[in-house]
Amino acid sequence: MELQNDQNELASHLSARCGLAGKVAHVCSDFLTHDWSRQHFDVIVSWLALYHIPERSVLLERCYGLLHKGGCFFTEDLCARKEFTDWERSELVTELFANCLPVYDTYLRDLKAAGFELVSCEEMSDDWAAFTRERLIDYRTQKARHIEVHGEAVFTTMEHFYDVMVRHFTGGKLGGIRIVA
């Protein structure tokens, strides 16, 4: 499920290119308001998306309610490690659309409050800080190639985004979490 139409179309296109169009159903809708028509799932997976949604308890209760008994919830998501300044929070909201960044322990409490049983929880912050740093270095190293393929404007936009990620992860306040529940 994807909220943004352009991203949903891109995902559909990529599934078709990979020969998976018949195996993957793409839906463009709002997860919180979508009519699931009594559907239930064995697995719900989210990569770097839950931090966009400020209605935390509604989101997690909906996820829990959509799972079959014994179903599995997996997420890799952003979280806070320390308190952000007003400027940092503003940048995260503007650049990442980060509308909900609970600290690690709060993230886990929110899942438990929604009914989840935690299977595994990993603090990914240091790994993601290293990854984002290496990604930015690699991206800059291949600047000429990226500009040739995508143009100067795309290169500049992506370089800025990667730089924001590096600053916040290496600054020690933005973190990453991997959960199975």
Side-chain angles (χ1 to χ4, degrees):
M1 176 166 283
E2 171 58 52
L3 180 62
Q4 300 174 73
N5 191 50
D6 62 332
Q7 296 300 306
N8 188 63
E9 288 176 11
L10 177 61
S12 295
H13 174 75
L14 290 173
S15 291
R17 282 184 58 189
C18 295
L20 298 172
K23 297 181 181 203
V24 178
H26 293 275
V27 177
C28 187
S29 188
D30 183 330
F31 185 82
L32 297 181
T33 60
H34 183 75
D35 178 10
W36 294 97
S37 299
R38 297 185 194 98
Q39 288 179 288
H40 288 86
F41 303 92
D42 295 322
V43 178
I44 293 177
V45 177
S46 174
W47 282 282
L48 297 170
L50 303 183
Y51 74 92
H52 295 303
I53 303 171
E55 297 90 356
R56 190 82 172 162
S57 61
V58 174
L59 167 68
L60 296 177
E61 287 169 11
R62 177 155 268 216
C63 287
Y64 183 80
L66 286 169
L67 285 171
H68 288 294
K69 186 170 177 63
C72 182
F73 173 80
F74 173 89
T75 189
E76 288 189 357
D77 203 19
L78 298 180
C79 62
R81 295 177 90 178
K82 297 178 183 174
E83 188 72 27
F84 297 104
T85 65
D86 290 343
W87 184 88
E88 290 166 333
R89 184 166 299 287
S90 175
E91 182 177 51
L92 289 166
V93 168
T94 302
E95 299 292 334
L96 304 178
F97 304 98
N99 297 308
C100 185
L101 291 170
V103 295
Y104 185 88
D105 291 338
T106 300
Y107 206 120
L108 301 183
R109 273 196 308 274
D110 291 348
L111 286 163
K112 289 177 184 176
F116 286 101
E117 176 184 327
L118 302 177
V119 176
S120 69
C121 309
E122 295 177 71
E123 224 288 350
M124 303 301 296
S125 303
D126 293 337
D127 291 342
W128 290 6
F131 168 80
T132 58
R133 195 172 33 252
E134 291 167 17
R135 178 180 62 184
L136 177 59
I137 291 167
D138 183 57
Y139 194 74
R140 287 177 172 158
T141 300
Q142 297 184 48
K143 179 178 180 175
R145 181 243 178 234
H146 294 308
I147 290 173
E148 181 181 327
V149 173
H150 303 289
E152 182 83 34
V154 170
F155 175 81
T156 302
T157 298
M158 293 305 298
E159 181 185 38
H160 173 73
F161 173 76
Y162 291 162
D163 183 62
V164 168
M165 295 303 293
V166 169
R167 279 190 294 104
H168 285 286
F169 272 117
T170 60
K173 293 183 178 181
L174 184 64
I177 190 168
R178 177 184 293 150
I179 297 171
V180 177

